[in-house]
Amino acid sequence: MSENHLSENHQSDNHAPDNQLPESRAVDPRRFARRTRDVWVTAALVAGIVAIFLTSLALAPRSDAPEGEAFPGTDAVVTDTLSQGGVEPWFEPIFEPGSSEVESGLFALQAALGAGVLGYALGNLRGRRAEREQPHTVDR
């Protein structure tokens, strides 16, 4: 094979010359700027969340509750307030966890299941939209 034939073959395979990137690999400045902006926005949001978390820990009230809870739940506060006012509960709980650790674990399990269902639903909706926006081609 001649060197000319190889260079023609090289160019006919849609390879770019050595000093240029192929069009599919070229960097779009607008896309790069948007990605850079997205990275900064994400970093700022994460920093804001961390700042809120640290501020709440620094300003947290000290534990005055008998059980050592700095943030008693609203259910416990309302139950205590109502029982002091002479109100009797209408129903008894169906299931009472043996300890606060079991209760926390059940709550975490409930949150994880809810997040899984929500993630599935959002992913399914996104897939449907992507399928609708994709041009349909007929294979022959």
Side-chain angles (χ1 to χ4, degrees), residues 14-99:
N14 292 330
H15 289 287
D18 292 335
N19 62 352
Q20 293 180 352
L21 288 172
E23 283 186 35
S24 62
R25 306 241 6 234
V27 177
D28 181 11
R30 291 175 295 182
R31 186 173 178 194
F32 180 75
R34 188 180 66 161
R35 273 194 169 168
T36 304
R37 185 189 69 219
D38 289 349
V39 168
W40 282 106
V41 168
T42 302
L45 288 173
V46 168
I49 290 170
V50 168
I52 290 171
F53 178 74
L54 292 176
T55 303
S56 69
L57 284 178
L59 300 176
R62 301 299 169 237
S63 177
D64 295 334
E67 298 166 2
E69 295 179 18
F71 297 105
T74 56
D75 292 345
V77 173
V78 168
T79 303
D80 292 343
T81 304
L82 291 176
S83 64
Q84 288 173 0
V87 177
E88 295 294 321
W90 292 1
F91 304 101
E92 292 297 320
I94 296 172
F95 169 73
E96 273 191 62
S99 68

Side-chain angles (χ1 to χ4, degrees), residues 91-135:
F91 304 101
E92 292 297 320
I94 296 172
F95 169 73
E96 273 191 62
S99 68
S100 62
E101 290 85 9
V102 173
E103 187 175 356
S104 293
L106 290 172
F107 182 73
L109 178 63
Q110 179 185 0
L113 288 172
V117 169
L118 181 65
Y120 174 78
L122 291 176
N124 195 359
L125 290 173
R126 183 174 179 173
R128 286 182 187 178
R129 181 174 18 150
E131 188 176 298
R132 263 187 283 136
E133 291 174 356
Q134 212 173 35

